[in-house]
Amino acid sequence: MNVLVVLIPVSLVLGGLGLAAFLWSLRNDQYEDLDGDAWRILSEDDDAPRGS
């Protein structure tokens, strides 16, 4: 029963950190261009390095 005194605050702190990280990513426009990377991987660039 004493372990709950430690686990409940730890879980609340970790949940708060996760929420803060999510809100930070929303404010810094991390989700603006979801299709850009998908199309960029398919485009052929001549200046892209070639594998051996």
Side-chain angles (χ1 to χ4, degrees):
M1 197 67 173
N2 288 334
V3 73
L4 290 178
V5 174
V6 174
L7 289 179
I8 290 174
V10 168
S11 67
L12 290 174
V13 167
L14 288 176
L17 287 174
L19 180 64
F22 176 69
L23 292 175
W24 173 84
S25 69
L26 282 178
R27 289 185 182 146
N28 288 320
D29 298 330
Q30 296 293 315
Y31 303 109
E32 286 297 316
D33 186 20
L34 296 178
D35 292 330
D37 288 334
W39 286 105
R40 202 171 306 126
I41 194 90
L42 295 175
S43 69
E44 294 183 20
D45 293 336
D46 290 336
D47 58 349
R50 301 275 182 207
S52 298

